[in-house]
Amino acid sequence: MAEKIIPCATCLSDSDFTLTKAQSSMQNMLKLRNTWSAVGYNAGPIAMRCLSTTASCKDSESWFSKLLVRKIEPTKESHSRMLSDKEIIYALHTHNVRPDSMGDYLNNYKNTVGLINEKKTSLSCKLVASWTVQVGDMDQCLHLWKYTGGFEKIDQAKEDLWHDEEYLKLMNERSKFLRSRHLQYLLAFSYWPQITSRTGKNIYEMRSYRLTPGTMIEWGNNWARAINFRKHNNEAFAGFFSQIGRLYNVHHIWCYKSLQDRKETREAAWRSPGWDECVAYTVPLIREMHCRVLAPTEFSPTQ
């Protein structure tokens, strides 16, 4: 027999609530209790009685709403300040190239890199990596640049280059080879290993995540532990989160000798006690994710 729920005195006497609203609120609580029972969770008569006799209807509705909304803790520090060094900014250029123009495009970009390298003493920037996408978004190239000195150095570099006739000529020529492009300014996670250039023949995997806003600190806390499971084979190349551009984006870049090496390395991580827990805690934070397999260009500093 269903337990009889007596509306609280607050609900009946409060001028802001009619009897109909109070009854509706109680019916909703009963429905929720029945739902809990259906999935194996017993709220119990004590819990329901407390809700109906000690809390106002407004308080009850507020309590139920907290069950359905993830609470984001306030903080006095910005996410970027807590997770990274803001004096080093990375620029990730994503270029979607016309399929019939990839060779001309790469030659143009190689000349652009050479021009910037000649001016590196005044620009405070350098190319970290340059890739073409082998699996994922085809006919796409990614270029990762590092600026030392914060956004002030980025402003200075832009001002300098936009007054360089040779640079502008290369830019205009490159536009003929492109379908679209995108730029993100990134910060490196402080708990990732330092970026070091690789030699030999390698492939790279970029795993990109779009997180729920407000969860970057929680992501960082979990991955600060998770990265320890992925250091053994020197596979961790870089980890970033977006500062300007598409926000709440995270990019993890891994380095492997081959696709087979990637498979074996990832399977070894799953055999490590604790890795599965880190994944379980971070998956609910993700709204969208995708991966791309990358090959270094001939002029990429890391191979």
Side-chain angles (χ1 to χ4, degrees), residues 136-148:
D137 302 311
M138 302 297 290
D139 304 311
Q140 187 178 83
C141 293
L142 305 177
H143 309 287
L144 182 66
W145 292 84
K146 177 182 178 181
Y147 292 83
T148 302

Side-chain angles (χ1 to χ4, degrees), residues 13-198:
S13 60
D14 194 331
S15 59
D16 293 333
F17 286 84
T18 63
L19 179 60
T20 302
K21 288 182 179 179
Q23 291 173 335
S24 175
S25 178
M26 295 305 162
Q27 289 172 354
N28 289 336
M29 285 189 273
L30 284 171
K31 289 179 181 179
L32 183 57
R33 183 177 68 173
N34 293 336
T35 301
W36 280 341
S37 298
V39 297
Y41 179 79
N42 182 14
I46 296 178
M48 294 302 297
R49 189 178 299 116
C50 291
L51 287 173
S52 61
T53 59
T54 63
S56 68
C57 291
K58 285 184 179 179
D59 292 338
S60 298
E61 291 174 355
S62 175
W63 186 84
F64 280 113
S65 67
K66 289 179 180 178
L67 289 178
L68 306 176
V69 178
R70 186 178 181 280
K71 184 178 180 182
I72 304 299
E73 296 293 338
T75 176
K76 297 296 185 181
E77 293 282 349
S78 68
H79 291 176
S80 58
R81 178 67 65 183
M82 298 172 69
L83 294 170
S84 183
D85 176 8
K86 294 185 68 175
E87 292 306 307
I88 299 178
I89 311 293
Y90 292 86
L92 178 63
H93 294 262
T94 302
H95 291 175
N96 294 303
V97 184
R98 292 167 53 94
D100 59 353
S101 302
M102 182 60 76
D104 292 334
Y105 165 83
L106 289 174
N107 185 62
N108 172 281
Y109 207 88
K110 179 181 179 180
N111 293 334
T112 303
V113 172
L115 173 65
I116 294 176
N117 286 341
E118 292 176 0
K119 300 167 65 69
K120 62 183 179 181
T121 55
S122 61
L123 295 181
S124 299
C125 71
K126 68 174 183 177
L127 183 67
V128 175
S130 178
W131 300 286
T132 59
V133 175
Q134 302 297 298
V135 180
D137 302 311
M138 302 297 290
D139 304 311
Q140 187 178 83
C141 293
L142 305 177
H143 309 287
L144 182 66
W145 292 84
K146 177 182 178 181
Y147 292 83
T148 302
F151 284 106
E152 179 183 358
K153 295 301 182 180
I154 293 179
D155 292 335
Q156 292 176 2
K158 289 174 61 178
E159 183 68 20
D160 191 330
L161 290 173
W162 282 107
H163 288 88
D164 188 295
E165 292 185 3
E166 187 176 355
Y167 177 81
L168 294 178
K169 181 180 178 181
L170 288 168
M171 284 279 290
N172 290 332
E173 181 186 54
R174 191 184 312 145
S175 65
K176 303 174 184 178
F177 310 138
L178 295 175
R179 294 179 289 116
S180 63
R181 55 184 179 163
H182 179 257
L183 169 63
Q184 270 186 319
Y185 287 121
L186 311 172
L187 297 177
F189 285 114
S190 57
Y191 53 82
W192 271 68
Q194 291 292 318
I195 298 176
T196 57
S197 295
R198 309 299 171 86

